[in-house]
Amino acid sequence: MSAEWSFTRIVEALPPTVPFVPPEALERQRGRTLRLRVGANESNFGISPKAREAMVRAVDQVHWYNDPEGYELRTTLARSIGVDFEEIVLGAGIDELLGLLVRLFAAPGDAVVTSLGAYPTFNFHVEGYGAVLHKIPYRDDREDLPALLAKVREIRPKLVYVANPDNPMGTWQQADALRSFIDELPSGSVLLLDEAYIDFAPEEALLPLDLERGQVVRLRTFSKAHGMAGARIGYGLAQREVVAALDKVRNHFGVNRVAQTGALASLGDQEFVCSVVAQVEEGKKQYAALAAELGLGMVPSATNFVALDTGSGERARRLMQMLLAEDVFVRMPGVVPLDRCIRLTVGPAAERQAIAEVLRRVVPEVA
Amino acid sequence: MSAEWSFTRIVEALPPTVPFVPPEALERQRGRTLRLRVGANESNFGISPKAREAMVRAVDQVHWYNDPEGYELRTTLARSIGVDFEEIVLGAGIDELLGLLVRLFAAPGDAVVTSLGAYPTFNFHVEGYGAVLHKIPYRDDREDLPALLAKVREIRPKLVYVANPDNPMGTWQQADALRSFIDELPSGSVLLLDEAYIDFAPEEALLPLDLERGQVVRLRTFSKAHGMAGARIGYGLAQREVVAALDKVRNHFGVNRVAQTGALASLGDQEFVCSVVAQVEEGKKQYAALAAELGLGMVPSATNFVALDTGSGERARRLMQMLLAEDVFVRMPGVVPLDRCIRLTVGPAAERQAIAEVLRRVVPEVA
């Protein structure tokens, strides 16, 4: 700290950290371009042709600020989802909304509950606002709802985070179990339900929309099935009082024009999204067969990625390094026992074939 | 507040407010499309053809996340500005950076100084984080550096905000005066210097870069001269300790891929930016002549807009309403005595001609 200024006490206490090392940084470190980019669950199916056309048109209007109320997109979302306009908030990805929601509910020192090994960016924001994280271990590669609930009922945190389907493991919760979880939440505890991968989830995982219930905020994104990760646009579904409170603190002009226009067009191309989801399904079957062939496990997945089970953290790390040496970008969960897996995004057939070729070569060397 | 949850004390205390009503909301309220959009200092010269080409290319890669380190753009900015890579932070517009900087320096209850009538989004963030605003009146339509400094030396705020050139009045500070201001800052007070309009400023307003001095953060944007308001990209120049601290709290994936790519290309097209600046200069001369013809004053401007002086707040409000009735979107400063002006963005010749036609018709009715 310089004598000339001082940061807030909370900022001073934060360690230097970033939620993720991006593939671009790996490329710079290694001085080589990555050949296959399947580590960040980006959709290599790309975007809908309708979204592309709309986004190119939006570039021609980009000298105008975006609509801070996101009127057109929120109106269309409201109609297609079956909620009110006032129950939707847009954000520059779920990441931005997570930060805002932590700020909204958790004061410095307040308790927040998540799972050990769950989405690091949520933790980044909780710590960034000086709240206190409590982490519950996964159970059988799934977020452990009963254990989370027990902790919540014990310490009554301001927030509890659950991803359904889960990232990084790809597993999912039954809607009934989530419903019971919500019913048992003590007063004052809000569930942040991260549904980034909901487009890939089976019917049984789909929690009905019920915004009467004020203790749930659901978070969704155009980054995954819609293929718009680099555009930065997601949304939250919540009671209107929560949306109104976010309006008091959010960066009103934060969701750019190209993203809003593209998301609107992509919503109008359900055929494209269905085709992506179908191809991902097909790809997951292929990866399951490949895993069996190579003597690896595969965690059942309700997302656009698969977690291949190498049996040990050491083997997973070695496999990840060998893949990187082949210019293949993958990621792996950071904590025991999840770290026995490596995570592959499921992309188009040609990409899967290229991945299979590399895995057939390197996996035997790891085993 | 519901019984089921509670917001933080700071959020509970905030009034429902937004920094700006967007032109889109005016269109929705009135059920009519605006014909001329000259209220938000958007550059109706559009973007560089090189930026356009790059942004369209970026749309084809938008399924990939943006580089959270903004490596290419920051490297190019560093070279062109003459600072180090580690002294640049990117943000989703200056707006996002203002919020982050308030969060970095001002804890709840801390004092912050700005000018009465200056940029409302800064105030929005200060209040949003529970810090306490002190507002110093303008003097002769300029932010009053001596009065600001006296207040700063009296109360030693964490932050003091100055825009150079100024928004909403378009006036500017001499670089020497700013340098003295900075030299006199007490320990612990940081100057946020908003340079959104710096591309339009005269030589005498250009404060040399001197990042050794830790008490200044300079904020710039691609929204104005580069015409990329809807893309949401700006940057801050600060000592590396400040940039490193921002890395502990910022939304790392917040600056979208299309914006980063477009900004990089736009930096490589100085010819375009120079042409915009030259046309704005020409336009300001025309508006000065028009103001004289219509018996209005015009505040000297170092920006891409002009403040036309109607002589009274009542006349300015009436003129703004009459322009809106003609489907012309303008804004005006909110506080006395600045509110005797209406603010027009300076656009291409055809637009200026259309504005002149309307003004010649309505101004006589107001006077």
Side-chain angles (χ1 to χ4, degrees), chain A residues 192-228:
Chain A
L192 297 189
L193 185 59
D194 184 340
E195 300 186 320
Y197 296 94
I198 198 75
D199 294 304
F200 302 99
E203 188 89 17
E204 67 190 42
L206 304 181
L207 182 70
L209 273 163
D210 176 6
L211 297 174
E212 296 308 303
R213 180 89 205 176
Q215 285 173 261
V216 185
V217 179
R218 300 168 77 147
L219 298 161
R220 296 181 178 178
T221 184
F222 289 90
S223 295
K224 303 301 173 187
H226 291 267
M228 290 173 53

Tab-separated table of all heavy atoms in Angstrom, chain A residues 192-228:
chain	number	residue	atom	x	y	z
A	192	LEU	N	-29.472	-18.973	-4.803
A	192	LEU	CA	-29.063	-18.597	-6.161
A	192	LEU	C	-28.944	-19.885	-6.951
A	192	LEU	O	-28.045	-20.704	-6.688
A	192	LEU	CB	-27.728	-17.857	-6.145
A	192	LEU	CG	-27.675	-16.522	-5.414
A	192	LEU	CD1	-26.341	-15.821	-5.690
A	192	LEU	CD2	-28.832	-15.614	-5.807
A	193	LEU	N	-29.845	-20.078	-7.887
A	193	LEU	CA	-29.894	-21.314	-8.665
A	193	LEU	C	-29.306	-21.037	-10.052
A	193	LEU	O	-29.934	-20.377	-10.883
A	193	LEU	CB	-31.344	-21.792	-8.771
A	193	LEU	CG	-31.568	-23.142	-9.443
A	193	LEU	CD1	-30.817	-24.262	-8.723
A	193	LEU	CD2	-33.060	-23.450	-9.503
A	194	ASP	N	-28.097	-21.510	-10.267
A	194	ASP	CA	-27.371	-21.259	-11.518
A	194	ASP	C	-27.807	-22.299	-12.551
A	194	ASP	O	-27.467	-23.472	-12.439
A	194	ASP	CB	-25.870	-21.341	-11.236
A	194	ASP	CG	-25.018	-20.998	-12.456
A	194	ASP	OD1	-25.531	-21.073	-13.595
A	194	ASP	OD2	-23.833	-20.668	-12.271
A	195	GLU	N	-28.548	-21.838	-13.552
A	195	GLU	CA	-29.084	-22.730	-14.574
A	195	GLU	C	-28.409	-22.500	-15.932
A	195	GLU	O	-29.043	-22.600	-16.990
A	195	GLU	CB	-30.609	-22.542	-14.690
A	195	GLU	CG	-31.343	-22.845	-13.386
A	195	GLU	CD	-32.860	-22.798	-13.511
A	195	GLU	OE1	-33.376	-21.896	-14.219
A	195	GLU	OE2	-33.521	-23.647	-12.883
A	196	ALA	N	-27.110	-22.239	-15.901
A	196	ALA	CA	-26.377	-21.963	-17.146
A	196	ALA	C	-26.556	-23.076	-18.173
A	196	ALA	O	-26.607	-22.820	-19.377
A	196	ALA	CB	-24.889	-21.769	-16.850
A	197	TYR	N	-26.678	-24.322	-17.686
A	197	TYR	CA	-26.723	-25.471	-18.607
A	197	TYR	C	-28.133	-26.049	-18.743
A	197	TYR	O	-28.289	-27.171	-19.198
A	197	TYR	CB	-25.733	-26.539	-18.123
A	197	TYR	CG	-24.301	-26.064	-18.170
A	197	TYR	CD1	-23.688	-25.497	-17.051
A	197	TYR	CD2	-23.569	-26.137	-19.354
A	197	TYR	CE1	-22.381	-25.040	-17.104
A	197	TYR	CE2	-22.262	-25.675	-19.422
A	197	TYR	CZ	-21.671	-25.128	-18.292
A	197	TYR	OH	-20.383	-24.670	-18.357
A	198	ILE	N	-29.139	-25.290	-18.340
A	198	ILE	CA	-30.504	-25.829	-18.269
A	198	ILE	C	-31.010	-26.323	-19.626
A	198	ILE	O	-31.817	-27.259	-19.684
A	198	ILE	CB	-31.466	-24.763	-17.668
A	198	ILE	CG1	-32.769	-25.425	-17.179
A	198	ILE	CG2	-31.753	-23.647	-18.644
A	198	ILE	CD1	-32.612	-26.192	-15.907
A	199	ASP	N	-30.522	-25.730	-20.730
A	199	ASP	CA	-30.999	-26.153	-22.052
A	199	ASP	C	-30.641	-27.610	-22.355
A	199	ASP	O	-31.252	-28.233	-23.218
A	199	ASP	CB	-30.403	-25.252	-23.144
A	199	ASP	CG	-30.900	-23.821	-23.047
A	199	ASP	OD1	-32.128	-23.625	-23.074
A	199	ASP	OD2	-30.074	-22.901	-22.928
A	200	PHE	N	-29.636	-28.142	-21.647
A	200	PHE	CA	-29.181	-29.508	-21.910
A	200	PHE	C	-29.748	-30.512	-20.901
A	200	PHE	O	-29.423	-31.693	-20.950
A	200	PHE	CB	-27.642	-29.565	-21.851
A	200	PHE	CG	-26.966	-28.634	-22.818
A	200	PHE	CD1	-26.478	-27.399	-22.399
A	200	PHE	CD2	-26.831	-28.987	-24.161
A	200	PHE	CE1	-25.855	-26.543	-23.292
A	200	PHE	CE2	-26.214	-28.132	-25.059
A	200	PHE	CZ	-25.722	-26.900	-24.626
A	201	ALA	N	-30.579	-30.030	-19.973
A	201	ALA	CA	-30.999	-30.871	-18.849
A	201	ALA	C	-32.187	-31.756	-19.219
A	201	ALA	O	-33.019	-31.378	-20.045
A	201	ALA	CB	-31.363	-29.989	-17.664
A	202	PRO	N	-32.278	-32.934	-18.589
A	202	PRO	CA	-33.447	-33.785	-18.815
A	202	PRO	C	-34.672	-33.197	-18.114
A	202	PRO	O	-34.547	-32.423	-17.154
A	202	PRO	CB	-33.045	-35.111	-18.171
A	202	PRO	CG	-32.067	-34.735	-17.116
A	202	PRO	CD	-31.327	-33.535	-17.641
A	203	GLU	N	-35.822	-33.574	-18.604
A	203	GLU	CA	-37.109	-33.143	-18.057
A	203	GLU	C	-37.150	-33.178	-16.524
A	203	GLU	O	-37.607	-32.238	-15.865
A	203	GLU	CB	-38.205	-34.071	-18.622
A	203	GLU	CG	-39.621	-33.671	-18.316
A	203	GLU	CD	-40.201	-32.731	-19.358
A	203	GLU	OE1	-39.634	-32.651	-20.468
A	203	GLU	OE2	-41.201	-32.067	-19.047
A	204	GLU	N	-36.665	-34.267	-15.949
A	204	GLU	CA	-36.768	-34.476	-14.504
A	204	GLU	C	-35.993	-33.428	-13.688
A	204	GLU	O	-36.228	-33.276	-12.493
A	204	GLU	CB	-36.257	-35.867	-14.140
A	204	GLU	CG	-34.753	-36.011	-14.387
A	204	GLU	CD	-34.247	-37.444	-14.276
A	204	GLU	OE1	-34.946	-38.347	-14.776
A	204	GLU	OE2	-33.165	-37.638	-13.688
A	205	ALA	N	-35.070	-32.714	-14.359
A	205	ALA	CA	-34.272	-31.707	-13.646
A	205	ALA	C	-34.903	-30.318	-13.704
A	205	ALA	O	-34.411	-29.385	-13.069
A	205	ALA	CB	-32.859	-31.655	-14.231
A	206	LEU	N	-35.990	-30.167	-14.449
A	206	LEU	CA	-36.544	-28.829	-14.692
A	206	LEU	C	-37.494	-28.405	-13.574
A	206	LEU	O	-38.634	-28.843	-13.506
A	206	LEU	CB	-37.273	-28.794	-16.038
A	206	LEU	CG	-36.450	-29.218	-17.266
A	206	LEU	CD1	-37.293	-29.120	-18.535
A	206	LEU	CD2	-35.176	-28.393	-17.387
A	207	LEU	N	-37.016	-27.549	-12.734
A	207	LEU	CA	-37.836	-26.989	-11.659
A	207	LEU	C	-38.859	-26.040	-12.262
A	207	LEU	O	-38.501	-25.119	-12.994
A	207	LEU	CB	-36.918	-26.220	-10.707
A	207	LEU	CG	-37.559	-25.590	-9.482
A	207	LEU	CD1	-37.991	-26.667	-8.495
A	207	LEU	CD2	-36.571	-24.624	-8.819
A	208	PRO	N	-40.153	-26.255	-11.982
A	208	PRO	CA	-41.141	-25.325	-12.540
A	208	PRO	C	-40.860	-23.893	-12.079
A	208	PRO	O	-40.287	-23.682	-11.013
A	208	PRO	CB	-42.466	-25.829	-11.958
A	208	PRO	CG	-42.211	-27.234	-11.546
A	208	PRO	CD	-40.762	-27.302	-11.169
A	209	LEU	N	-41.271	-22.946	-12.893
A	209	LEU	CA	-41.102	-21.536	-12.534
A	209	LEU	C	-42.148	-21.172	-11.504
A	209	LEU	O	-43.320	-21.463	-11.660
A	209	LEU	CB	-41.256	-20.659	-13.768
A	209	LEU	CG	-39.960	-20.487	-14.527
A	209	LEU	CD1	-40.234	-19.993	-15.916
A	209	LEU	CD2	-39.039	-19.525	-13.789
A	210	ASP	N	-41.710	-20.538	-10.468
A	210	ASP	CA	-42.622	-20.229	-9.375
A	210	ASP	C	-42.046	-19.029	-8.658
A	210	ASP	O	-41.420	-19.142	-7.616
A	210	ASP	CB	-42.708	-21.457	-8.455
A	210	ASP	CG	-43.580	-21.175	-7.238
A	210	ASP	OD1	-44.192	-20.093	-7.189
A	210	ASP	OD2	-43.617	-22.037	-6.347
A	211	LEU	N	-42.250	-17.869	-9.266
A	211	LEU	CA	-41.598	-16.680	-8.737
A	211	LEU	C	-42.366	-16.054	-7.586
A	211	LEU	O	-41.923	-15.094	-6.979
A	211	LEU	CB	-41.359	-15.659	-9.847
A	211	LEU	CG	-40.408	-16.153	-10.944
A	211	LEU	CD1	-40.332	-15.145	-12.067
A	211	LEU	CD2	-39.026	-16.417	-10.379
A	212	GLU	N	-43.516	-16.609	-7.273
A	212	GLU	CA	-44.218	-16.171	-6.068
A	212	GLU	C	-43.315	-16.365	-4.866
A	212	GLU	O	-43.329	-15.605	-3.908
A	212	GLU	CB	-45.499	-16.985	-5.864
A	212	GLU	CG	-46.526	-16.810	-6.956
A	212	GLU	CD	-46.821	-15.353	-7.206
A	212	GLU	OE1	-47.221	-14.655	-6.269
A	212	GLU	OE2	-46.615	-14.881	-8.347
A	213	ARG	N	-42.580	-17.440	-4.967
A	213	ARG	CA	-41.639	-17.821	-3.920
A	213	ARG	C	-40.437	-16.888	-4.002
A	213	ARG	O	-39.672	-16.932	-4.957
A	213	ARG	CB	-41.240	-19.266	-4.207
A	213	ARG	CG	-40.287	-19.869	-3.257
A	213	ARG	CD	-40.997	-20.522	-2.109
A	213	ARG	NE	-40.082	-20.560	-0.987
A	213	ARG	CZ	-40.412	-20.996	0.194
A	213	ARG	NH1	-41.620	-21.442	0.430
A	213	ARG	NH2	-39.534	-20.987	1.176
A	214	GLY	N	-40.245	-16.046	-3.001
A	214	GLY	CA	-39.251	-14.990	-3.116
A	214	GLY	C	-37.825	-15.379	-2.821
A	214	GLY	O	-36.914	-14.588	-3.003
A	215	GLN	N	-37.616	-16.584	-2.366
A	215	GLN	CA	-36.274	-16.926	-1.904
A	215	GLN	C	-35.414	-17.612	-2.949
A	215	GLN	O	-34.406	-18.218	-2.621
A	215	GLN	CB	-36.383	-17.803	-0.653
A	215	GLN	CG	-36.768	-17.002	0.570
A	215	GLN	CD	-37.044	-17.872	1.771
A	215	GLN	OE1	-38.199	-18.147	2.074
A	215	GLN	NE2	-35.992	-18.312	2.441
A	216	VAL	N	-35.807	-17.503	-4.213
A	216	VAL	CA	-35.028	-18.127	-5.279
A	216	VAL	C	-34.745	-17.109	-6.372
A	216	VAL	O	-35.642	-16.395	-6.811
A	216	VAL	CB	-35.782	-19.318	-5.904
A	216	VAL	CG1	-34.896	-20.035	-6.923
A	216	VAL	CG2	-36.252	-20.283	-4.830
A	217	VAL	N	-33.505	-17.028	-6.795
A	217	VAL	CA	-33.137	-16.283	-7.995
A	217	VAL	C	-32.523	-17.281	-8.961
A	217	VAL	O	-31.577	-17.989	-8.606
A	217	VAL	CB	-32.132	-15.157	-7.682
A	217	VAL	CG1	-31.758	-14.419	-8.969
A	217	VAL	CG2	-32.703	-14.184	-6.653
A	218	ARG	N	-33.098	-17.361	-10.157
A	218	ARG	CA	-32.601	-18.302	-11.158
A	218	ARG	C	-31.780	-17.550	-12.188
A	218	ARG	O	-32.170	-16.478	-12.649
A	218	ARG	CB	-33.779	-19.010	-11.810
A	218	ARG	CG	-34.583	-19.767	-10.776
A	218	ARG	CD	-35.889	-20.241	-11.313
A	218	ARG	NE	-35.702	-21.411	-12.158
A	218	ARG	CZ	-36.607	-22.393	-12.255
A	218	ARG	NH1	-37.738	-22.335	-11.572
A	218	ARG	NH2	-36.390	-23.414	-13.034
A	219	LEU	N	-30.640	-18.129	-12.574
A	219	LEU	CA	-29.703	-17.450	-13.460
A	219	LEU	C	-29.495	-18.261	-14.726
A	219	LEU	O	-29.204	-19.453	-14.662
A	219	LEU	CB	-28.369	-17.258	-12.729
A	219	LEU	CG	-28.505	-16.375	-11.481
A	219	LEU	CD1	-27.324	-16.565	-10.546
A	219	LEU	CD2	-28.638	-14.918	-11.894
A	220	ARG	N	-29.664	-17.613	-15.854
A	220	ARG	CA	-29.519	-18.295	-17.136
A	220	ARG	C	-28.636	-17.489	-18.084
A	220	ARG	O	-28.355	-16.328	-17.820
A	220	ARG	CB	-30.907	-18.525	-17.757
A	220	ARG	CG	-31.746	-19.453	-16.892
A	220	ARG	CD	-33.103	-19.716	-17.476
A	220	ARG	NE	-33.859	-20.642	-16.628
A	220	ARG	CZ	-35.106	-21.038	-16.873
A	220	ARG	NH1	-35.734	-20.593	-17.948
A	220	ARG	NH2	-35.711	-21.878	-16.064
A	221	THR	N	-28.225	-18.103	-19.169
A	221	THR	CA	-27.231	-17.458	-20.020
A	221	THR	C	-27.423	-17.808	-21.489
A	221	THR	O	-28.008	-18.846	-21.813
A	221	THR	CB	-25.809	-17.879	-19.584
A	221	THR	OG1	-24.858	-17.162	-20.372
A	221	THR	CG2	-25.576	-19.377	-19.761
A	222	PHE	N	-26.927	-16.938	-22.351
A	222	PHE	CA	-26.852	-17.230	-23.777
A	222	PHE	C	-25.467	-17.761	-24.160
A	222	PHE	O	-25.169	-17.910	-25.339
A	222	PHE	CB	-27.194	-15.971	-24.586
A	222	PHE	CG	-28.654	-15.607	-24.519
A	222	PHE	CD1	-29.132	-14.758	-23.527
A	222	PHE	CD2	-29.557	-16.145	-25.426
A	222	PHE	CE1	-30.485	-14.440	-23.455
A	222	PHE	CE2	-30.908	-15.832	-25.361
A	222	PHE	CZ	-31.374	-14.987	-24.384
A	223	SER	N	-24.630	-18.033	-23.158
A	223	SER	CA	-23.242	-18.438	-23.428
A	223	SER	C	-23.106	-19.883	-23.860
A	223	SER	O	-22.106	-20.246	-24.482
A	223	SER	CB	-22.378	-18.225	-22.175
A	223	SER	OG	-22.286	-16.868	-21.843
A	224	LYS	N	-24.062	-20.714	-23.488
A	224	LYS	CA	-23.871	-22.151	-23.695
A	224	LYS	C	-24.646	-22.642	-24.927
A	224	LYS	O	-24.120	-22.612	-26.014
A	224	LYS	CB	-24.260	-22.895	-22.413
A	224	LYS	CG	-23.472	-22.416	-21.175
A	224	LYS	CD	-21.967	-22.583	-21.363
A	224	LYS	CE	-21.161	-21.967	-20.212
A	224	LYS	NZ	-19.710	-21.988	-20.503
A	225	ALA	N	-25.897	-23.059	-24.772
A	225	ALA	CA	-26.629	-23.613	-25.921
A	225	ALA	C	-26.748	-22.598	-27.060
A	225	ALA	O	-26.731	-22.963	-28.232
A	225	ALA	CB	-28.014	-24.087	-25.481
A	226	HIS	N	-26.849	-21.321	-26.733
A	226	HIS	CA	-26.982	-20.285	-27.762
A	226	HIS	C	-25.629	-19.873	-28.360
A	226	HIS	O	-25.586	-19.081	-29.299
A	226	HIS	CB	-27.702	-19.056	-27.206
A	226	HIS	CG	-29.156	-19.302	-26.898
A	226	HIS	ND1	-30.166	-19.053	-27.797
A	226	HIS	CD2	-29.758	-19.817	-25.791
A	226	HIS	CE1	-31.340	-19.377	-27.256
A	226	HIS	NE2	-31.122	-19.841	-26.035
A	227	GLY	N	-24.546	-20.345	-27.762
A	227	GLY	CA	-23.227	-20.125	-28.357
A	227	GLY	C	-22.726	-18.695	-28.327
A	227	GLY	O	-21.917	-18.293	-29.161
A	228	MET	N	-23.161	-17.903	-27.338
A	228	MET	CA	-22.797	-16.488	-27.349
A	228	MET	C	-21.898	-16.081	-26.179
A	228	MET	O	-21.971	-14.955	-25.682
A	228	MET	CB	-24.074	-15.639	-27.353
A	228	MET	CG	-24.831	-15.736	-28.689
A	228	MET	SD	-26.445	-14.902	-28.642
A	228	MET	CE	-25.956	-13.290	-28.048
